C-alpha cells in the first residue's frame, strides 16, 4: 500500500494562522533523555497511530558518540520508551 502522506506540525512556527493541525490518527511523539553531559536531549517522531500504552511506542536509535554516551566505533544507542504523558 502507499506510504502515509507527509506529516504536518502542531507547533506554531510563526505562521499567521496559528498551528497546523495533524491528520486524524497522527501524533508527534517527543523522545526525551539526559545525555552524557547531563543535558536534556530530544527527538520528535511522527506516529501514524495513537499509542494506548508505553509498550505501543516504538524503540528508536541515535548516534551516542555526539552526546558523550558511546565511543565512535560503537555509537548506536537505542531509546526505549519508559513513560508517556
Amino acid at each position: 500500500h502507499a506510504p502515509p502522506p507527509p506529516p504536518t506540525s502542531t507547533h506554531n512556527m510563526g505562521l499567521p494562522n496559528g498551528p497546523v493541525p495533524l491528520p486524524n490518527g497522527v501524533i508527534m511523539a517527543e523522545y526525551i533523555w539526559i545525555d552524557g553531559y547531563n543535558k536534556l536531549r530530544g527527538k520528535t517522531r511522527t506516529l501514524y497511530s495513537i499509542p494506548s500504552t508505553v509498550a505501543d511506542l516504538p524503540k528508536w536509535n541515535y548516534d551516542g558518540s555526539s552526546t558523550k554516551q558511546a565511543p565512535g566505533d560503537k555509537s548506536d544507542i537505542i531509546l526505549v520508551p519508559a513513560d508517556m504523558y
Side-chain angles (χ1 to χ4, degrees):
H1 71 307
T8 58
S9 174
T10 59
H11 299 287
N12 185 344
M13 313 248 329
L15 300 173
N17 297 326
V20 176
L22 291 170
N24 285 338
V26 176
I27 67 160
M28 304 302 286
E30 182 74 21
Y31 287 60
I32 300 170
W33 70 99
I34 299 172
D35 71 10
Y37 300 98
N38 209 30
K39 304 286 184 188
L40 284 178
R41 295 280 181 147
K43 287 175 68 165
T44 304
R45 182 173 186 160
T46 304
L47 301 178
Y48 294 94
S49 62
I50 299 173
S52 298
T53 69
V54 71
D56 297 333
L57 293 166
K59 294 177 183 176
W60 200 9
N61 70 315
Y62 68 95
D63 180 359
S65 65
S66 64
T67 61
K68 195 180 168 188
Q69 293 176 288
D73 60 333
K74 298 178 184 176
S75 63
D76 200 34
I77 302 291
I78 305 296
L79 294 171
V80 179
D83 210 342
M84 62 185 239
Y85 304 94

